[in-house]
Amino acid sequence: MIAEAGLALLWIAAALSLLQLILAWAGLRSGGEALLKLVRPVAVGQGLAVGLAFTALIWLFLRTDLSVQLVAANSHSMKPWLYKFAGAWGNHEGSMLLWVTVLAVAGGAVALFERRLRQDTLTATLAAQAAIGLGFYAFLLFASNPFTRLSPVPIEGNGLNPLLQDPGLAFHPPTLYFGYVGISIAFSFAVGALVTRDVGPAFARAMRPWVLIAWIFLTLGITAGSYWAYYELGWGGWWFWDPVENASLMPWLAATALLHSVTVLATRAGLRAWTIMLAVVAFSMSMIGTFLVRSGILTSVHAFAVDPLRGSFILALLGFYIGGALLLFALRVRHVKEGATFELVSREAALVANNLLLSVILALVFIGTLYPLVTQAFGHEISVGPPWFNGVAGPIALVLVAIMAIGPMLRWRGDRLGALAGRIAVPALLVAVALLAVAVFVPAIRLLPALGLAIAPAIAVASLAPLWGRNLRRTPLFIWGMVIAHLGIAVSLAGMAAESAFTTETLVAARPGQTVRAGPFSVRFQGIAPLAGPNWTAIEASLEARRGGTAYALRPQARLFSSPPTPTSEAAIQTVWDGQLYVAIGEADAQGRWQLRLWWKPLVTWIWLGGAMIALGGLLALIGRVRRERRARPEEALA
Amino acid sequence: MKAKNQRLILLLLALGAVLGAVILGMSAMRDQASFFYAPGDVATKGRPAPDRAVRIGGMVKQGSINRHGDGVTIDFLVGDQTPHTIRVFYTGLTPDLFRENSGVIAEGRFRADGAFVASEILAKHDENYMPPELTRRGIHKTESLE
């Protein structure tokens, strides 16, 4: 019954989204208050219905109801409960249901909490959100139904891909989707504002918290995904420029640009058309990403077996929505007023530069990711890898972070170049010193990591500059947010540069009792022992790593999962204050030697620490903005 | 400056920056994109220059995996629907789902003698996953007899 109820709820949600679209349309045309008043509760109802449908799917997975095809194909009664729970979205249909759930819940949240937007704009926004929903409900109901029954009922399920049986599955996809799909709100706001010609500072202030929320989740999702791939895949990389990774990076780049341009719109009424365009682009990138991931059209290290027909459905959907939004933009852009002007040296100019550079990086990542599809059409199969991406995007990213450091020091409208020179003297000196230090102590270093190491400390110092001379306790929370997010970029950059410059790798075939060297550690391979888990057996190596007087125990495993029968390797990672020691175990040879791969990765943890700081900065900015609005509103009511 | 003019300048700047970056990026792509070769392609199109990074792919031939004395190097044959094969050398831990009679994609360079030195063997997440390069060539997962 639960499966049927879930399916019924999905149909109800689809019907409600159609109703939402019709009500909003009719209400906007006639201006009838009664119709407009109904749109909010319908949107909330839609969010509830699909939320319940998703809960039904989780329930089916928790109970391992094998009469449901999706459960039988992807779950197993012997699986730990966490993976039964998270396994609900560890497959195509479930993850698409999660996608739609986030879409509808985000729409419901806007209907519940958004009070600043003009009513007609809000109605048009909810209409756009409903229109997106409709297409994806159709995709779920006609091409990816998660609730299909199976007959005869199998005795046991196929189990979940062991690589997914990790706490990362419980955290990474939902967070990423909240960001990925949450950015649809920005898209719908943009469409709404174009429809009602309401592009202005008040609109920007209303949109900003929603963009921030999505951006925080997206940042967390990417950071978590990077760390998950790093420890789970067992080859110690944290970013591969893989199509699936780029699919999440592209919306982030667009959302980051949007976050900054919306501030210009809110504060100085500038960058109007541009902000609208970015909001459209950001969600377009999410949809393109969904297509790339779900169609399996590009070779990816993170890809799972997929059905190519579904790709065409998503492609048609995204073509329709992106095309529609761009058409609306083209028709309405002449009604969008120009913003206030600014000078070449000003906060606005720095933010424009930020937007331009982010757009350029986005364009490069986009062509690098999709170029193989184009050449395929002409019969050439190529792949574009890290050397290209690092080569073209790396230098631009460094210029971008340099501008990020300078921007907050500039005044709005216009500033004097002389005053700026005084403010950046200390960071500039730091860059020179660091560059000299890098050149002297590590002359063999490659250019990009060298530049990264050289500018990271200066960026860190410069990002603290907005706090200079302020009473720290009275500094608004959103300033703290900016400072911490920018500091996070510096921390992340330092981690990336240090990891790429100083990682050492040791690959050996060792006998028990042998000692090998890995960076500053001497690692003794003590032995091998068998081990059994809830649904796997493993061979576990025990190693003792020593540096100075301290010893650390490491236990990498080679696991064999029973259902489906799949080998996986579980790396052992020892985190110390200045980096991580990473050990993976391979196969044994006829002479009783075991393959061991050891990495010493200095400061690698800073990469994700920085990511977490960026998200935290976003959270502080969000709280600060919402609080200020709260405080401001009673005064507005009085005035 | 008038608002209209400033907007025009910004627009041109944006277009110029993105277009310039794309053109530069595309020209860099000519040197850095790696082409894909299946064993049959090497026979028909010729072998790429030894300094060129490429990807090769196909099925790992049954019984072709040799383990070398150092304990960390292997070599194996990659075949496809054609009678041609490529011998691949690799030093490192093989991915978990690397095995005989299974699809594989490797990144690296050809040696002058025609053997391929892989710098990396691409891992996959899913036993049933087949990279599209291979399925397009009619290489599918072979049914195992277990």
Side-chain angles (χ1 to χ4, degrees):
Chain A
M1 272 318 287
I2 303 283
E4 283 69 30
L7 187 59
L9 281 163
L10 212 49
W11 276 104
I12 291 171
L16 284 176
S17 83
L18 183 63
L19 182 66
Q20 182 178 335
L21 185 60
I22 294 172
L23 280 177
W25 182 280
L28 282 176
R29 296 213 64 168
S30 66
E33 277 290 311
L35 288 176
L36 291 176
K37 281 222 168 77
L38 274 173
V39 175
R40 279 191 199 249
V42 170
V44 174
Q46 193 211 138
L48 270 179
V50 71
L52 283 174
F54 187 58
T55 313
L57 186 71
I58 290 177
W59 180 252
L60 291 170
F61 267 86
L62 280 177
R63 283 200 357 204
T64 319
D65 186 336
L66 295 168
S67 69
V68 175
Q69 195 180 350
L70 191 65
V71 180
N74 297 292
S75 199
H76 191 279
S77 58
M78 294 298 285
K79 208 164 58 170
W81 78 266
L82 179 68
Y83 306 135
K84 289 183 180 173
F85 168 73
W89 56 79
N91 54 74
H92 168 78
E93 288 84 351
S95 89
M96 281 319 294
L97 181 57
L98 175 61
W99 205 100
V100 172
T101 305
V102 175
L103 188 75
V105 168
V110 169
L112 264 183
F113 300 114
E114 182 52 60
R115 295 276 175 252
R116 287 150 300 185
L117 207 56
R118 250 166 48 189
Q119 191 180 27
D120 57 341
T121 310
L122 177 73
T123 308
T125 299
L126 290 175
Q129 194 76 5
I132 303 169
L134 267 180
F136 283 92
Y137 285 125
F139 179 59
L140 264 185
L141 290 167
F142 300 125
S144 307
N145 181 1
F147 295 109
T148 310
R149 289 280 188 185
L150 188 61
S151 175
V153 177
I155 301 160
E156 191 47 272
N158 283 341
L160 175 68
N161 183 329
L163 274 176
L164 294 178
Q165 298 195 26
D166 183 276
L169 178 67
F171 185 74
H172 166 63
T175 351
L176 193 66
Y177 273 23
F178 269 106
Y180 217 61
V181 188
I183 206 76
S184 66
I185 296 295
F187 179 92
S188 295
F189 262 70
V191 169
L194 280 175
V195 168
T196 60
R197 299 171 193 185
D198 178 25
V199 185
F203 159 79
R205 277 196 290 275
M207 177 157 100
R208 179 159 52 189
W210 298 103
V211 177
L212 254 175
I213 294 172
W215 180 84
I216 293 165
F217 277 111
L218 199 49
T219 307
L220 276 180
I222 294 174
T223 307
S226 161
Y227 190 61
W228 187 16
Y230 166 80
Y231 74 74
E232 183 68 36
L233 290 183
W235 20 297
W238 43 271
W239 193 263
F240 310 105
W241 292 108
D242 182 272
V244 168
E245 295 166 2
N246 295 347
S248 68
L249 179 66
M250 290 190 284
W252 188 85
L253 291 168
T256 308
L258 176 62
L259 200 59
H260 291 85
S261 82
V262 85
T263 299
V264 177
L265 181 50
T267 318
R268 295 278 303 131
L271 302 187
R272 291 166 186 243
W274 176 252
T275 300
I276 294 293
M277 191 64 188
L278 274 180
V280 170
V281 167
F283 185 57
S284 301
M285 288 302 151
S286 293
M287 285 193 286
I288 290 172
T290 305
F291 165 70
L292 288 180
V293 175
R294 286 290 140 214
S295 68
I297 196 162
L298 291 167
T299 305
S300 159
V301 298
H302 307 294
F304 299 87
V306 282
D307 174 0
L309 279 180
R310 286 167 171 161
S312 343
F313 201 132
I314 303 181
L315 190 61
L317 280 180
L318 79 91
F320 177 73
Y321 292 125
I322 298 174
L326 291 180
L327 184 68
L328 182 68
F329 182 83
L331 289 176
R332 285 290 164 89
V333 72
R334 64 201 163 84
H335 298 291
V336 177
K337 287 198 205 79
E338 294 94 2
T341 58
F342 53 87
E343 287 175 27
L344 192 59
V345 182
S346 65
R347 177 79 68 87
E348 287 97 318
L351 286 168
V352 164
N354 146 307
N355 266 249
L356 276 183
L357 293 175
L358 279 168
S359 307
V360 165
I361 296 175
L362 173 61
L364 286 169
V365 176
F366 185 81
I367 61 165
T369 308
L370 292 175
Y371 188 62
L373 280 185
V374 179
T375 57
Q376 224 174 70
F378 298 103
H380 296 292
E381 281 166 321
I382 64 155
S383 58
V384 181
W388 185 83
F389 283 103
N390 289 336
V392 298
I396 301 173
L398 287 178
V399 177
L400 176 64
V401 291
I403 289 175
M404 176 196 87
I406 298 168
M409 300 175 183
L410 292 168
R411 289 177 213 283
W412 293 101
R413 277 180 235 210
D415 207 341
R416 285 185 309 114
L417 210 52
L420 175 67
R423 281 174 238 152
I424 61 166
V426 174
L429 194 69
L430 258 179
V431 173
V433 171
L435 206 54
L436 200 68
V438 169
V440 170
F441 293 111
V442 272
I445 193 171
R446 278 168 299 138
L447 184 63
L448 269 184
L451 290 175
L453 285 174
I455 70 171
I459 305 288
V461 170
S463 62
L464 294 172
L467 297 177
W468 196 254
R470 274 179 185 271
N471 179 341
L472 291 188
R473 293 178 60 186
R474 298 192 57 184
T475 302
L477 215 47
F478 56 83
I479 301 272
W480 276 106
M482 176 184 75
V483 166
I484 288 175
H486 286 182
L487 192 60
I489 298 265
V491 169
S492 222
L493 176 66
M496 292 174 190
E499 196 272 345
S500 15
F502 306 125
T503 292
T504 57
E505 183 187 347
T506 315
L507 180 68
V508 289
R511 287 195 179 79
Q514 210 170 319
T515 299
V516 293
R517 189 107 210 129
F521 290 89
S522 100
V523 183
R524 202 180 112 87
F525 176 31
Q526 291 170 312
I528 289 281
L531 191 74
N535 54 351
W536 46 263
T537 56
I539 287 170
E540 188 178 75
S542 66
L543 300 104
E544 192 188 58
R546 280 185 174 278
R547 179 171 70 169
T550 334
Y552 306 94
L554 289 122
R555 306 251 182 284
Q557 299 173 350
R559 282 188 190 172
L560 185 66
F561 280 77
S562 46
S563 55
T566 313
T568 71
S569 71
E570 300 287 317
I573 298 172
Q574 177 65 50
T575 308
V576 286
W577 68 273
D578 57 342
Q580 285 187 329
L581 181 64
Y582 187 117
V583 184
I585 175 178
E587 292 165 357
D589 64 9
Q591 301 150 44
R593 294 181 303 178
W594 290 83
Q595 296 177 327
L596 292 175
R597 194 173 194 179
L598 306 99
W599 280 282
W600 163 241
K601 294 179 171 288
L603 298 193
V604 68
T605 35
W606 285 28
I607 298 172
W608 307 292
L609 174 69
M613 286 172 70
I614 297 168
L616 174 68
L619 183 65
L620 291 180
L622 177 69
I623 297 171
R625 291 289 179 202
V626 171
R627 250 210 229 154
R628 173 164 279 206
E629 295 274 334
R630 280 267 161 78
R631 232 176 283 148
R633 210 174 303 149
E635 292 158 25
E636 275 170 22
L638 283 175
Chain B
M1 196 188 297
K2 272 203 199 139
K4 205 159 226 162
N5 294 341
Q6 188 161 41
R7 176 149 96 170
L8 191 67
I9 290 172
L10 288 182
L11 184 72
L12 290 177
L13 208 65
L15 278 178
V18 170
L19 218 66
V22 167
I23 291 169
L24 276 179
M26 296 295 270
S27 70
M29 199 101 73
R30 219 171 297 154
D31 306 324
Q32 278 171 330
S34 40
F35 284 85
F36 178 85
Y37 291 83
D41 300 335
V42 180
T44 54
K45 290 190 223 162
R47 193 171 349 114
D51 58 338
R52 178 99 205 177
V54 295
R55 282 187 175 185
I56 60 139
M59 299 294 278
V60 180
K61 286 268 180 196
Q62 174 98 46
S64 74
I65 302 180
N66 292 318
R67 288 168 204 285
H68 294 210
D70 64 356
V72 288
T73 304
I74 56 167
D75 69 271
F76 55 93
L77 287 175
V78 170
D80 59 4
Q81 314 300 81
T82 69
H84 303 280
T85 55
I86 302 173
R87 181 159 296 282
V88 179
F89 288 84
Y90 175 68
T91 302
L93 304 194
T94 52
D96 297 322
L97 293 173
F98 173 83
R99 63 182 69 156
E100 293 176 346
N101 274 333
S102 170
V104 66
I105 287 191
E107 226 165 55
R109 287 160 216 274
F110 277 99
R111 280 196 325 217
D113 65 356
F116 186 80
V117 180
S119 55
E120 202 171 328
I121 293 181
L122 264 58
K124 45 183 187 172
H125 277 13
D126 179 347
E127 188 151 25
N128 299 316
Y129 177 67
M130 256 300 181
E133 284 94 339
L134 301 185
T135 45
R136 274 195 293 273
R137 284 179 171 72
I139 302 175
H140 296 284
K141 187 178 183 259
T142 43
E143 296 301 319
S144 65
L145 298 171
E146 300 163 59

